Amino acid sequence: VIPSPAISIIPQGPTTVCEGICVALNSSSSDQVEWTLADGSTSNLATIQACDAGWYVLRLTENGCTGVD
């Protein structure tokens, strides 16, 4: 059994901000990441800008297994 890869979201600043302010979110890995942004779009960048309220989901796939944060 291959364990799911460990992945975490690393905010570069406060996680509660006023409307119109963005916060950079970094992946703890730059390999095969996929973000799902608050508006439902996706990104494969290691760092994204979170500018909208809502959920941001990070997935990392290694050796056919997926870790989610």
Side-chain angles (χ1 to χ4, degrees):
V1 174
I2 300 171
S4 296
I7 187 76
S8 60
I9 297 172
I10 304 165
Q12 297 300 303
T15 56
T16 303
V17 295
C18 295
E19 185 175 359
I21 303 296
C22 298
V23 175
L25 300 178
N26 295 327
S27 165
S28 61
S29 173
S30 61
D31 297 329
Q32 299 180 21
V33 297
E34 180 183 74
W35 292 89
T36 301
L37 284 60
D39 65 3
S41 64
T42 60
S43 174
N44 295 103
L45 300 174
T47 300
I48 61 162
Q49 293 293 319
C51 298
D52 298 315
W55 290 95
Y56 291 80
V57 178
L58 176 61
R59 290 178 183 80
L60 171 65
T61 301
E62 288 180 346
N63 301 316
C65 298
T66 301
V68 178
D69 187 21

